[in-house]
Amino acid sequence: MESYIPLVDDGFNAIRETNVSGLDLCYMGSLPSGPSILIGTTARYLMHEERRAIYISALEAALSGFGIVTLALSGGLFSLIKGAEDGGGRIHIVTAEGLDDYRRKREERMRRALLTGGSVISPFRHGYGKDEAIEVSLSLSSALITTGCGRLMQSALDNGIDTAILRPSLARSAARKAAEQGAPVIDTFSSFLAFPSRIAYPDENGEYRFGTERFGIISLK
């Protein structure tokens, strides 16, 4: 007999509706209640170096006590989910798909987010809303880490949200252009902060693993 964890348990994982910063949304789980960082991209494909930087950023942010918000235009980033899980952080997926569609097509990612005590959020229970999903994800976040210039980054800048580009993304012309225009370039989440409390470093015996690499963590506070 297969064992499984039900997505709906008549309570915590029921679909709810609310309004955040003037935006109507549907969600399952628990919305962010503390400091949260948005780690997202509008790029359809990511290089390995970008996925590695996203994993480390999510790991460092989670270990530092931040909730992890991610914009899921194509389902969501497994590297981010794993980093947040490894760091014991809460994952908040904002999907551009309707919530019913996401639950039907992305069951594993939804389950993993909800098991962290996080949430899956959509502007709609049915239908599709890319622009609305971007606005919702930004409304739940204090800062943005992204892979380069795009609609997500421009919306963050328009809303006065601090934004940084991951260094591996400089292989993209759009990211280089944004950096030339003054966007900060960072290696991972910890280099986004003036005084980080957790910094990941390569360690062949480290507790945390991404692919074939292992990492340890320095605690500074």
Side-chain angles (χ1 to χ4, degrees):
M1 179 181 295
E2 293 185 359
S3 61
Y4 67 96
I5 299 173
L7 289 178
V8 179
D9 61 6
D10 299 324
F12 180 77
N13 294 334
I15 295 178
R16 298 177 172 89
E17 297 181 2
T18 190
N19 183 284
V20 175
S21 301
L23 300 169
D24 293 326
L25 54 87
C26 301
Y27 71 98
M28 295 173 63
S30 295
L31 296 176
S33 58
S36 298
I37 181 80
L38 172 58
I39 304 175
T41 178
T42 53
R44 191 169 183 84
Y45 301 103
L46 296 179
M47 297 172 288
H48 171 77
E49 292 80 5
E50 291 176 307
R51 295 195 301 271
R52 178 182 184 274
I54 286 171
Y55 167 81
I56 296 173
S57 293
L59 174 66
E60 292 175 334
L63 290 170
S64 300
F66 283 76
I68 313 297
V69 179
T70 185
L71 179 64
L73 297 182
S74 300
L77 302 169
F78 278 120
S79 54
L80 178 143
I81 292 172
K82 185 176 189 303
E85 286 175 331
D86 288 356
R90 296 188 176 193
I91 303 168
H92 303 280
I93 297 175
V94 180
T95 172
E97 299 167 306
L99 198 57
D100 287 338
D101 286 342
Y102 194 87
R103 176 162 57 178
R104 176 173 52 86
K105 296 189 294 185
R106 321 284 186 182
E107 182 174 336
E108 179 184 356
R109 276 172 272 205
M110 176 174 275
R111 177 181 63 83
R112 289 171 69 174
L114 295 177
L115 285 175
T116 69
S119 56
V120 178
I121 306 161
S122 174
F124 305 104
R125 180 163 181 165
H126 310 283
Y128 185 87
K130 184 174 182 179
D131 291 339
E132 293 87 350
I134 288 174
E135 293 304 313
V136 168
S137 65
L138 291 171
S139 73
L140 299 172
S141 311
S142 58
L144 166 67
I145 293 174
T146 186
T147 60
C149 188
R151 191 183 308 180
L152 176 61
M153 182 176 180
Q154 189 58 56
S155 294
L157 294 173
D158 291 344
N159 285 276
I161 295 175
D162 289 337
T163 303
I165 297 170
L166 291 170
R167 187 180 302 277
S169 297
L170 292 178
R172 302 176 184 273
S173 60
R176 293 195 300 274
K177 181 178 179 180
E180 290 167 354
Q181 293 175 346
V185 177
I186 64 172
D187 293 307
T188 63
F189 170 80
S190 61
S191 57
F192 200 11
L193 306 178
F195 302 101
S197 61
R198 302 291 187 275
I199 301 176
Y201 63 94
D203 180 355
E204 63 181 13
N205 298 312
E207 178 181 356
Y208 306 102
R209 185 174 68 184
F210 179 71
T212 60
E213 295 182 88
R214 287 186 175 274
F215 301 91
I217 291 288
I218 299 175
S219 298
L220 300 180
K221 295 181 181 179

